Amino acid sequence: MACAGAAQVSPAPSPAVGVSALLQLNERYDMNGFRLSFVAACLLAVGAFPAAAQDEDGELWFNPSFAKPIGDRTSIELETAQRLRDDPRDDTYFARLWLNREDAAGREWSVGVEQRWNGPDEREVRLLQQVGYDWGPLELRTRLEQRFVDVDPQTGWRLRQRVGTTIPLSDEENGWALTGDAEVFLTLRSTEPGGQTGVTGLRTFLGFERSFGRYDLSLGYLRQQDIRDGAEDRVGHAPFVGLTVNF
């Protein structure tokens, strides 16, 4: 009979448990390695894409937003932006109202309307439809826009495809993360008769994000390239500050 004061010896862990832990660690390493490779590929693509001369300048972008759930899978969001540029480029301001709905597969479907001010003389209204979804470690967003510019005679149609990824920098649930994405602008119909169509823009972003309670903060560098036929591409380099307040 064992003595009452004898220490209890825990059973040795099953080899299967150790193998499972190693596999999970390896999977996490491989996934983060893939994400990091994707971010690096985006940065290389930015440098390799432009072959024509460029008109470059500095900008400053602010993106405050306010979001509130109105059901288990439904939310509304007011998104605003202030994009400040040096002369002769015009500053841009806009406000978007979104209605978002997440389906059972985790995709987020959204419809929205936007009022935009491009400099002192041009106004634009946009109708927006988009879906956000994941494909493995990649985060994708597909958006369709109908554009109504007050100084142009016809409705423009544009498709935007964004692909990105996020790499956690700690084990903390809401800790800092490295994020990067690239977005292509495909103009299906210009707002001007005979205007440029096809690939008309490329936007890339690299930065960091973190949640602080109900506040989501995003800080980084954004590069916007407007691809123009018969003229230098217009490129903006912008520090980016995004803040979302969740109610």
Side-chain angles (χ1 to χ4, degrees), residues 24-179:
Q24 291 177 9
L25 182 61
N26 184 64
E27 180 181 1
R28 179 179 176 185
Y29 174 81
D30 288 345
M31 195 66 69
N32 283 344
F34 174 85
R35 292 185 173 118
L36 191 58
S37 298
F38 172 81
V39 172
C42 287
L43 293 176
L44 289 173
V46 168
F49 189 87
Q54 297 178 357
D55 171 18
E56 305 193 47
D57 208 344
E59 304 180 4
L60 183 60
W61 289 29
F62 296 101
N63 197 188
S65 300
F66 308 88
K68 180 177 177 59
I70 55 174
D72 291 340
R73 294 178 178 270
T74 306
S75 65
I76 56 174
E77 179 182 359
L78 175 62
E79 179 186 2
T80 70
Q82 300 81 44
R83 299 173 179 174
L84 308 179
R85 303 178 173 97
D86 291 332
D87 291 337
R89 302 187 186 189
D90 290 329
D91 295 343
T92 296
Y93 304 89
F94 72 69
R96 293 176 183 150
L97 183 62
W98 291 102
L99 176 64
N100 308 309
R101 174 74 177 178
E102 183 178 335
D103 65 20
R107 294 179 294 260
E108 185 175 70
W109 301 83
S110 305
V111 292
V113 61
E114 171 186 325
Q115 174 66 62
R116 176 176 290 249
W117 295 264
N118 298 314
D121 302 320
E122 183 180 304
R123 303 291 181 266
E124 179 181 348
V125 174
R126 295 183 184 178
L127 302 181
L128 313 166
Q129 308 87 42
Q130 76 176 30
V131 57
Y133 50 101
D134 294 337
W135 185 46
L138 299 179
E139 303 158 359
L140 297 99
R141 186 189 73 188
T142 304
R143 177 184 296 174
L144 183 64
E145 301 175 331
Q146 296 82 52
R147 305 177 58 203
F148 305 88
V149 180
D150 63 351
V151 296
D152 292 338
Q154 65 184 26
T155 302
W157 287 73
R158 186 167 66 182
L159 182 66
R160 297 167 54 172
Q161 180 62 56
R162 188 176 76 181
V163 56
T165 194
T166 301
I167 306 171
L169 299 179
S170 71
D171 293 329
E172 187 180 353
E173 182 178 358
N174 293 319
W176 286 104
L178 174 67
T179 183

